[in-house]
Amino acid sequence: MKRPTIADIAREAGVSKGAVSYALNGQPGVGEATRAKIVAIADAMGYRPNTAARALAGGAAKVIGLTLHRPPRTLGVEPFFMELISGLEAELSTHSYGLLLQMVPSHAEEIAVYRRWWSDRSVDGVLLCDVRTDDERIDALRELQLPAVVVGPPTASGDLACIWSDDGVSLVEAVEYLAALGHRRIARVSGLSDLAHTEVRNEAFAAVSARLGLTDAVTIATDYTGEGGARATRRLLSSPTRPTALLYDNDIMAIAGLSVAQQMGVAVPADLSIIAWDDSPICRLVHPPLTALSRDIAAYGTHAARLLLAAIAGEPVASVQDEMAHLNPRGSTGPAPARRAVHPA
């Protein structure tokens, strides 16, 4: 079936191709009656504009860009980004916008992607994730004057608008809950150490541990993968001062940690309590189901898309603090195990 063109619409309406272009793009140059007639004919013929051609002509591409500096395989096992993307799509689709996702091996390549998108007008704006302190991507986007919104804390977003959740408050809630259960040896398995939100969590963990007198509190940085979480768990549970509670920076590492504990004969929650950050259906399917810090990640994506679309439209935008993650207790947490008495030989 032949795709209808502007020429087909012009022939049917008895007007010039220029008049059709003016009418469909909302530009002056045609009367309202003619415009209505052209739009009706275009709808009846199933005409859809060529967004690439429109972008090259200086119009909107109706696409936003998202780059992720992560291995492509992580999308298949990382519920956070899949839920975030579902929320983005939910909002973008209502405005007839598309999402262009690009996985990149480095920040230098990510900036090169931004320059390419800007040069060929592939996108109208971008979302910036996994922001680092003194992130060079922010300066690059400012130089390109490409509308952008940071998904991350304001401490690292420069003069760009951001959408963020106060991870420090959420972490304190989790640690205080474990302390209330009697846990004194609490360890944390974190994500990438150079991420801005990891730094926020690190500082909050150190502060609340000091306030509660948790002298054995320790953090081990990993790469968010199940393999990294398993290695960190094995190391912690092999320590002479084995922790009685573990807090993981994502659900994949927490599930891997649960498996390691069970392999090592460490009962959960009798000997070890586990908390996962960012709840997911998988957390509820394992045994015991994982206590988790929960929030509506899809809504987070929707709000991020809404903020970026406003920036693309030229509206003044300000940073938005979104919903914080709150603790959802389940079967993987319980009272700290009683200290075993030491008998003289």
Side-chain angles (χ1 to χ4, degrees):
M1 183 176 177
K2 181 176 178 292
R3 181 181 292 141
T5 65
I6 285 180
D8 296 328
I9 299 170
R11 190 179 308 111
E12 182 70 19
V15 298
S16 68
K17 289 190 291 184
V20 173
S21 179
Y22 291 149
L24 297 182
N25 287 295
Q27 297 174 340
V30 293
E32 288 307 312
T34 302
R35 186 189 307 277
K37 176 182 178 182
I38 290 171
V39 170
I41 290 173
D43 287 343
M45 295 177 72
Y47 173 79
R48 295 292 181 270
N50 184 325
T51 54
R54 182 167 59 187
L56 290 172
K62 303 289 282 186
V63 175
I64 72 163
L66 172 63
T67 59
L68 295 177
H69 177 203
R70 290 169 181 251
R73 65 182 176 84
T74 62
L75 280 186
V77 296
E78 180 61 85
F80 173 84
F81 278 111
M82 296 310 296
E83 291 185 42
L84 183 75
I85 289 171
S86 73
L88 291 172
E89 290 282 12
E91 179 67 15
L92 294 175
S93 63
T94 64
H95 299 275
S96 299
Y97 263 77
L99 174 66
L100 179 55
L101 174 64
Q102 178 77 56
M103 309 298 287
V104 294
S106 67
H107 279 169
E109 177 60 26
E110 188 168 355
I111 291 174
V113 169
Y114 293 151
R115 296 188 187 282
R116 184 167 66 250
W117 283 348
W118 172 83
S119 178
D120 56 20
R121 301 178 186 271
S122 299
V123 301
D124 298 320
V126 298
L127 286 171
L128 188 65
C129 291
D130 287 344
V131 64
R132 271 80 170 168
T133 304
D134 299 323
D135 200 310
E136 59 186 346
R137 295 174 296 172
I138 292 174
D139 287 336
L141 289 169
R142 186 186 300 112
E143 176 190 340
L144 295 172
Q145 296 186 337
L146 186 62
V149 165
V150 172
V151 181
T155 52
S157 62
D159 57 1
L160 296 179
C162 69
I163 182 165
W164 62 293
S165 176
D166 194 335
D167 285 359
V169 173
S170 302
L171 189 140
V172 168
E173 180 185 357
V175 174
E176 288 181 339
Y177 173 72
L178 291 171
L181 290 173
H183 293 278
R184 306 299 297 169
R185 298 195 303 276
I186 301 173
R188 178 166 153 262
V189 180
S190 80
L192 299 167
S193 59
D194 61 340
L195 296 181
H197 73 261
T198 301
E199 185 174 329
V200 169
R201 297 178 186 185
N202 288 346
E203 292 176 356
F205 185 62
V208 70
S209 297
R211 175 166 59 82
L212 296 175
L214 308 177
T215 55
D216 292 323
V218 63
T219 294
I220 295 181
T222 68
D223 58 358
Y224 282 119
T225 64
E227 294 83 358
R231 283 192 298 270
T233 303
R234 197 170 289 110
R235 173 181 162 187
L236 287 165
L237 296 186
S238 300
S239 167
T241 55
R242 188 176 79 192
T244 62
L246 292 176
L247 173 59
Y248 294 84
D249 267 15
N250 76 353
D251 52 346
I252 297 302
M253 294 194 298
I255 292 165
L258 173 63
S259 177
V260 167
Q262 291 170 339
Q263 291 168 11
M264 295 179 67
V266 179
V268 177
D271 297 323
L272 177 70
S273 287
I274 291 178
I275 295 179
W277 200 302
D278 283 333
D279 203 356
S280 71
I282 306 174
C283 291
R284 297 187 288 276
L285 294 175
V286 296
H287 181 75
L290 293 178
T291 294
L293 286 161
S294 304
R295 58 176 170 161
D296 190 339
I297 299 171
Y300 193 46
T302 294
H303 301 159
R306 196 170 295 158
L307 190 63
L308 179 55
L309 290 175
I312 290 170
E315 300 174 14
V317 294
S319 295
V320 173
Q321 183 175 356
D322 209 72
E323 173 194 11
M324 291 182 295
H326 292 289
L327 198 68
N328 190 354
R330 297 196 185 99
S332 67
T333 48
R339 294 181 181 272
R340 293 181 175 84
V342 178
H343 300 285

